[in-house]
Amino acid sequence: MGADMNTRPVSIFALGPSSLPLAEKVKAAVGGVVHAPAGLAADGHFGKATLAIAHAFDAGHAVIGICSSGILIRAVAPSLRNKAEEPPVIAVSEDGATVVPLTGGHRGGNDLARKLASALSAHAAITTASDVMFGEALDEPQDAVLANPQDHKAAAAARLRGEEVRTETTIRVVSGGPRHLVYHPKVLAVGIGCERGTDPDDVRQLLTRTLEQHGIAPGSIAAYGSIDLKEDEPAITQFPQARFFTAEELRAEKDRLASPSAVVEQEVGVPGVAEAAALALVGRNGTLIVPKVKGKRATIAIAQAAQAADLRQPAGRPRGCVALVGIGPGDSSLMTPQVDFELWKASEWVGYSLYLDLVEHRRNGQTRHDFPLGDEEKRCRHAIELARQGKQVALVCSGDPAVFAMAALVYELIDREPCRIAVTVHPGVSAFQMASARAGALIGHDFCCISLSDLLTPWETIVQRVTAAATGDFVVSFYNPRSLKRTDQIVKAFDILRPHRKPETPVVLASNLGRPTEKVRILRFDEFRAEDVDMLTIVMVGSSQSRAFVRGDGQTSAYTPRGYARKMGLT
Ligand code: SAH
């Protein structure tokens, strides 16, 4: 991950109002963003502190908590995997007297803790042995990797005994030992060009072979790059965080190429993708160290930056992505952690204002792109356009993003107008699931969902489907049941169902699910009145088997049996 304190975002967590002033002092000392529970004056807000802390950690942020070490340990424990990549986690006691770096000590955590302690006139409780003795880290230096971690313990112990330990920093493959630590600085960039459909393994093997032939350590590679035409090429996207350049940006490297090709120039407008991308990554002060090497269908080249800092935030841009996220019906406890994480990762939020408002308390520097109700196409096109510029976009939907929402439209647009962005879909709890759950278990047996909006679907098609649901004896959930202008559809749908349902069939009217104004009613089919329904309501009608009953506490429940009565020999 190569990031250090200069580039790593810092997330500061105040768990209550009393720790806010100290959190602000921490921010003044080391920068960053202060997160606090909703309602407090902070830069960002969270629902559940441990979840927010885990997300910040997973996203590679340095985490500073104004709280006990225990809270932070519990929050990040499930995410702890590889100490070489973990960001710093630092606990600051609420009285501001003690600063404890818990993880990532050598990823800048100890330095950050020292800086904090000095600003707060506190004590930095640094516990990593080599640091305590020498004020330096042996196993995880910044912008480099230790090539022989197996020798680190012996080397640190030798140093503690006062014996000499040699350290060597090189991009070459060198074997170290218990008295010889070898570091590979993160200074290399690999440029890749390939034909469409090249096997990703071929490119990997070409790279491995080339590195071996030149005796170069893979640990020194900091970045991979190619031309933007290859943004959707698996052979390139297999490298995490690959960066892409326009043909024009690559042409700017023309004079520095070692082996320009007229053929390639004719095909993609650049006299060589691999060399140009490697050079574009390392910048003007870098040099080409391995000119273009040809494989069967791919080429690679390697360039070296003048210093590791030049590659901390590599040039070019990442592949843009539209993440379709379903935030559930409303309450944030009904949102999956994955959706929460996607919202966190994105730099842009696109959506209907009401939905963006529902997640506003989680915003943490993301730009809002608000849209009015309707015109989903505009929303989707805007999200796709941002992704085409290399942005990471969350397209925010209520409920599930595929259920009468925008996921299918995004796929339709990229199907009709191909582009190279990544698209991912992250499910949410849909209104029908929530309504069934509130009522009991109405979707306990076969069910279907029908949108009554005839803005996009011809009314005859809707009639055909309602008829099939009526005769097929499905539990039916009606989305978009009634608007100010469309008042008839739900009445007609009930007319179609009436001959196939008993008068006592349970009907659930659920509005504003998961929001403070939530209202759920369970009534009989013959009690239904269309006037009780609006666009924020979902209407569910039971099958011939569905039942409603009143329990001892006076609550009515509705469910659809799956057939266990027959299995149990009951009727
Ligand atoms: N993607 C959403 C559905 C969007 S269509 C989902 O999966 O739930 C909009 C319709 O969904 C509304 O007209 C209403 O019928 C239903 N709906 C969405 N959210 C709702 C909520 N919180 N409470 C009740 N109905 C809701």
Side-chain angles (χ1 to χ4, degrees):
M1 196 186 277
D4 76 345
M5 292 328 306
N6 299 326
T7 57
R8 214 184 259 292
V10 178
S11 282
I12 304 158
F13 290 89
L15 304 200
S18 60
S19 27
L20 261 185
L22 183 54
E24 289 298 336
K25 268 197 214 164
V26 169
K27 178 178 168 179
V30 298
V33 173
V34 174
H35 301 273
L40 297 183
D43 306 317
H45 298 96
F46 52 77
K48 196 164 163 34
T50 45
L51 201 60
I53 291 166
H55 285 160
F57 182 83
D58 288 340
H61 293 206
V63 171
I64 303 176
I66 317 297
C67 58
S68 72
S69 321
I71 291 176
L72 295 179
I73 291 168
R74 260 182 274 279
V76 304
S79 306
L80 295 175
R81 253 161 230 119
N82 173 2
K83 76 168 183 169
E85 300 208 333
E86 275 150 16
V89 174
I90 298 175
V92 179
S93 62
E94 285 209 44
D95 60 4
T98 310
V99 177
V100 193
L102 295 165
T103 68
H106 297 162
R107 307 294 298 173
N110 291 344
D111 290 345
L112 186 61
R114 282 194 199 96
K115 194 168 163 191
L116 251 180
S118 115
L120 302 175
S121 307
H123 169 66
I126 291 172
T127 53
T128 36
S130 54
D131 259 56
V132 172
M133 298 301 288
F134 306 108
E136 72 169 300
L138 284 180
D139 61 343
E140 291 148 18
Q142 283 183 22
D143 292 327
V145 289
L146 176 60
N148 51 329
Q150 70 280 9
D151 293 325
H152 162 253
K153 261 207 180 115
R159 272 219 177 161
L160 286 172
R161 290 194 301 269
E163 294 165 25
E164 193 178 328
V165 172
R166 201 179 134 214
T167 59
E168 181 179 4
T169 301
T170 174
I171 62 165
R172 303 283 154 200
V173 177
V174 172
S175 43
R179 300 285 181 280
H180 179 193
L181 296 178
V182 177
Y183 298 98
H184 296 311
K186 290 273 187 191
V187 291
L188 300 183
V190 178
I192 310 166
C194 69
E195 289 172 27
R196 176 79 25 209
T198 299
D199 183 344
D201 282 346
D202 285 357
V203 173
R204 270 211 178 268
Q205 283 159 18
L206 177 64
L207 177 60
T208 309
R209 256 196 333 267
T210 308
L211 291 171
E212 277 168 12
Q213 275 162 9
H214 289 80
I216 294 174
S220 274
I221 300 174
Y224 299 83
S226 190
I227 189 167
D228 56 8
L229 287 171
K230 300 292 172 192
E231 266 176 11
D232 57 348
E233 188 66 55
I236 313 259
T237 56
Q238 69 175 322
F239 299 103
Q241 293 145 7
R243 311 289 292 187
F244 297 92
F245 298 89
T246 62
E248 203 181 321
E249 287 168 325
L250 295 184
R251 260 198 305 277
E253 305 296 334
K254 198 170 172 174
D255 299 339
R256 302 210 283 162
L257 304 191
S259 35
S261 149
V263 181
V264 180
E265 177 147 34
Q266 216 168 16
E267 268 176 29
V268 291
V270 185
V273 169
E275 290 185 359
L279 285 165
L281 280 167
V282 296
R284 284 279 132 193
N285 299 325
T287 47
L288 199 61
I289 59 161
V290 179
K292 182 168 75 184
V293 179
K294 276 192 185 162
K296 261 183 289 176
R297 306 183 63 200
T299 54
I300 59 166
I302 303 174
Q304 179 167 3
Q307 48 181 7
D310 297 346
L311 283 169
R312 275 184 205 144
Q313 275 169 328
R317 57 195 178 77
R319 183 187 189 192
C321 176
V322 173
L324 284 136
V325 300
I327 61 171
D331 188 85
S332 55
S333 64
L334 292 166
M335 187 194 287
T336 68
Q338 189 186 70
V339 166
D340 197 10
F341 187 45
E342 291 297 324
L343 285 172
W344 178 286
K345 271 199 318 197
S347 62
E348 321 293 315
W349 285 0
V350 178
Y352 168 38
S353 295
L354 171 71
Y355 304 158
L356 295 186
D357 287 345
L358 286 171
V359 289
E360 172 62 20
H361 61 287
R362 286 163 196 257
R363 200 151 64 92
N364 166 48
Q366 290 87 353
T367 307
R368 271 179 75 141
H369 301 258
D370 283 63
F371 282 80
L373 193 60
D375 210 348
E376 277 95 359
E377 185 184 336
K378 225 184 195 163
R379 261 184 269 172
C380 292
R381 284 193 185 280
H382 186 71
I384 292 172
E385 184 44 42
L386 289 171
R388 289 172 70 125
Q389 295 163 16
K391 302 260 171 61
Q392 309 301 306
V393 186
L395 183 47
V396 179
C397 304
S398 85
D400 182 273
V403 178
F404 309 124
M406 287 179 290
L409 180 49
V410 166
Y411 276 100
E412 193 176 342
L413 289 170
I414 61 172
D415 180 18
R416 286 173 190 277
E417 299 161 27
C419 62
R420 305 183 195 287
I421 62 166
V423 175
T424 55
V425 181
H426 307 274
V429 174
S430 188
F432 82 93
Q433 292 167 290
M434 193 63 198
S436 166
R438 287 287 195 247
L442 204 60
I443 54 172
H445 209 315
D446 302 345
F447 59 86
C448 65
C449 297
I450 299 177
S451 167
L452 289 183
S453 169
D454 55 359
L455 296 176
L456 297 166
T457 311
W459 177 243
E460 306 78 72
T461 307
I462 297 174
V463 166
Q464 198 181 22
R465 291 184 184 156
V466 177
T467 307
T471 56
D473 200 23
F474 287 94
V475 175
V476 200
S477 300
F478 291 114
Y479 281 72
N480 302 308
R482 188 171 186 263
S483 70
L484 290 176
K485 288 194 208 122
R486 285 187 309 103
T487 52
D488 255 13
Q489 282 81 352
I490 188 74
V491 177
K492 289 182 183 154
F494 268 70
D495 288 344
I496 297 170
L497 283 165
R498 194 165 291 108
H500 306 275
R501 295 292 186 273
K502 290 176 286 207
E504 66 271 26
T505 301
V507 168
V508 177
L509 308 185
S511 44
N512 288 301
L513 287 160
R515 301 173 194 162
T517 47
E518 173 177 300
K519 193 168 168 195
V520 179
R521 284 159 288 175
I522 302 177
L523 29 111
R524 290 163 52 107
F525 190 96
D526 59 2
E527 287 170 344
F528 174 77
R529 294 178 336 132
E531 303 79 71
D532 295 337
V533 172
D534 62 12
M535 269 308 264
L536 286 169
T537 310
I538 182 163
V539 178
M540 300 184 80
V541 181
S543 72
S544 66
Q545 303 303 305
S546 304
R547 281 176 44 76
F549 66 108
V550 183
R551 302 195 59 213
D553 57 7
Q555 294 287 319
T556 303
S557 298
Y559 71 104
T560 306
R562 285 193 63 202
Y564 285 106
R566 206 174 311 119
K567 195 174 166 214
M568 292 184 284
L570 308 169
T571 46

